[in-house]
Amino acid sequence: MLRNKKILLGVTGGIAAYKIPQLIRDFKKSGADVKVVMTEAAAEFVTPLTISTLSQNEVVVGGFPKFSGTVLKAETWHINLALWADVMLIAPATANTIAKLVHGYADNAVTTLALAMRGPIIISPSMDVDMLNHRLTQSNISFLEQLGYKILQPEKGELASGLTGAGRLPDLRKILFAVEELLQSGKKDLTGRKILVTAGPTYEPIDPVRFIGNRSSGKMGFAIATAAAQRGANVILITGKTNLVTPKNVQRINIVTAEEMFNAVTKHAGNSKVIIMAAAVADYTPAKVSKQKIKKSDNTKEHLNIQLKPTIDILKKIGEKKGNKILVGFAVETENEIRNAKIKVQQKNLDFIVLNNPLKEDAGFDVDTNIATIVTKSNKIVKLKKMSKFQLANQILDRIAGSFNSFKK
Ligand code: CTP
């Protein structure tokens, strides 16, 4: 499967680096060409001589490419390598390198190549259990996943420190399969499909300084947009306020209020074959927005009453003219979840709805995982296990891609 594939391997300074020579042999046996860049710390664990002997290629160590003692003539060695590679694998990826990747550092050959790569990048974090479980490392890993890097989850077991827990480099066969899978799949099953995704909260102004909002972080919608673009779709992402980075190859439209979201969705819905409403749209908005800041002294009574009026249910409106579009909604429910989700699927004329309960741990707002149930228009109920929002995004897109295929048949 890997015959003639060009693998760029980035090795960083973790103890699991001692396994990399064997991985290189396995890649070579599968017919791949392997070039290696490594950090100076990695070279403390495994020698460049071993690596270059097994890869049958020269190795770049640290920041500057010194092959056989001479500095390479081409200044763009990093670009040449990045253009050469079909895929880059960083294994083991230390907490330090992962943190650098999050911030776009280019201070050694591994981080530089990760920035210069056009093709996909797989990261295999490997470190001690406590470093891995640290909230910073976890948040860095999920940030990279959101950006579209493929993350190979470390395995649990005995660690070099003597501790037991997650952090081990996965079995080498698993790494090989993951590279194979990514190269094969580079799943482009949504190529040319126009997909509209909404994300994040809406903010409804009360006066020039205050608003009514909700706790949506936008992570789910951004994960869908990232995954859809990776699979070849033309993605428009209409989003409320978030701090998230625009995914690669995605057209982003920023909105603030439910009304702005309605207008933006209406404008782009006509051209979209698929609409996925992951945004948490406000159901009510202040009936009157005060032009001036509301002062405490303006209120003679004990309570300040703000009159609210309903917003337009965007998804319902789109559902009324569904045609042959695929419509997907999200439902947040804290009780009678399935029953309420079934009602929403029918009322909004959806193909399916993704239901979650924010009261469950590891689900809902601002976390990187979700525990969702899919309810379809034919009342099929699919309970999904806990997974990252990115994995859930791909599950949702699998269903959509599947229905394209069944239409073809
Ligand atoms: N939605 C929408 N426009 C609104 C409100 C919601 O398009 N004004 C969409 C959401 O993006 C989501 C789906 O409808 O995909 C369900 O949202 P949810 O808040 O769970 O349900 P509501 O229809 O608002 O009903 P309720 O708040 O009573 O549960």
Side-chain angles (χ1 to χ4, degrees), residues 87-299:
V87 61
M88 180 177 190
L89 164 69
I90 305 182
T94 58
N96 185 42
T97 292
I98 289 168
K100 285 183 186 178
L101 294 176
V102 166
H103 292 283
Y105 275 55
D107 63 342
N108 62 44
V110 177
T111 51
T112 303
L113 260 302
L115 274 188
M117 273 296 290
R118 285 191 185 173
I121 301 181
I122 309 186
I123 296 180
S124 181
S126 170
M127 64 199 76
D128 191 59
V129 59
D130 296 302
M131 292 174 82
L132 178 71
N133 287 340
H134 195 288
R135 281 181 303 160
L136 280 171
T137 308
Q138 284 301 313
S139 132
N140 287 341
I141 290 175
S142 70
F143 182 78
L144 292 179
E145 194 176 29
Q146 288 275 338
L147 282 186
Y149 292 75
K150 179 161 174 70
I151 306 291
L152 269 179
Q153 289 307 327
E155 285 181 356
K156 285 189 183 148
E158 205 182 300
L159 300 165
S161 58
L163 296 174
T164 304
R168 287 169 62 88
L169 194 79
D171 185 275
L172 298 184
R173 266 173 318 173
K174 278 196 192 156
I175 302 183
L176 208 84
F177 287 150
V179 173
E180 232 171 56
E181 198 183 86
L182 189 75
L183 279 171
Q184 268 178 36
S185 65
K187 242 206 265 172
K188 296 288 180 202
D189 53 353
L190 296 174
T191 299
R193 300 288 182 186
K194 296 201 164 91
I195 301 190
L196 178 70
V197 183
T198 67
T202 65
Y203 286 177
E204 309 302 321
I206 298 171
D207 68 14
V209 293
R210 303 183 180 96
F211 62 85
I212 300 173
N214 62 64
R215 292 176 53 203
S216 169
S217 62
K219 284 183 176 173
M220 192 63 236
F222 274 62
I224 296 171
T226 306
Q230 278 178 1
R231 290 167 73 156
N234 298 332
V235 184
I236 295 183
L237 173 64
I238 301 175
T239 177
K241 294 256 183 201
T242 81
N243 294 324
L244 302 174
V245 179
T246 309
K248 203 166 156 185
N249 299 330
V250 166
Q251 183 190 341
R252 174 180 183 157
I253 297 168
N254 292 321
I255 57 89
V256 178
T257 64
E259 193 183 352
E260 286 171 15
M261 182 161 281
F262 172 71
N263 292 336
V265 171
T266 312
K267 185 170 166 198
H268 294 280
N271 281 330
S272 309
K273 173 73 181 132
V274 179
I275 300 179
I276 306 174
M277 284 286 300
V281 187
D283 290 327
Y284 290 92
T285 189
K288 255 189 13 212
V289 182
S290 170
K291 285 212 170 66
Q292 306 299 333
K293 184 183 168 199
I294 299 171
K295 301 288 292 172
K296 265 187 288 191
S297 55
D298 294 345
N299 297 293

Side-chain angles (χ1 to χ4, degrees), residues 41-72:
E44 298 284 327
F45 289 96
V46 56
T47 72
L49 181 62
T50 307
I51 298 278
S52 81
T53 307
L54 293 174
S55 65
Q56 295 168 328
N57 275 313
E58 284 165 317
V59 177
V60 180
V61 183
F64 291 92
K66 274 192 189 160
F67 299 153
S68 325
T70 51
V71 178
L72 257 195

Side-chain angles (χ1 to χ4, degrees), residues 28 155 170 216 309 336 380 407 409:
K28 296 285 291 182
E155 285 181 356
S216 169
K309 61 175 185 190
N336 299 325
K380 202 171 140 199
F407 288 148
K409 282 172 209 155

Side-chain angles (χ1 to χ4, degrees), residues 277 279 281-283 311-315 329-333 344 348:
M277 284 286 300
V281 187
D283 290 327
T311 58
I312 300 172
D313 189 323
I314 305 170
L315 200 47
F330 273 75
V332 173
E333 301 290 349
K344 280 182 189 169
K348 303 192 187 211

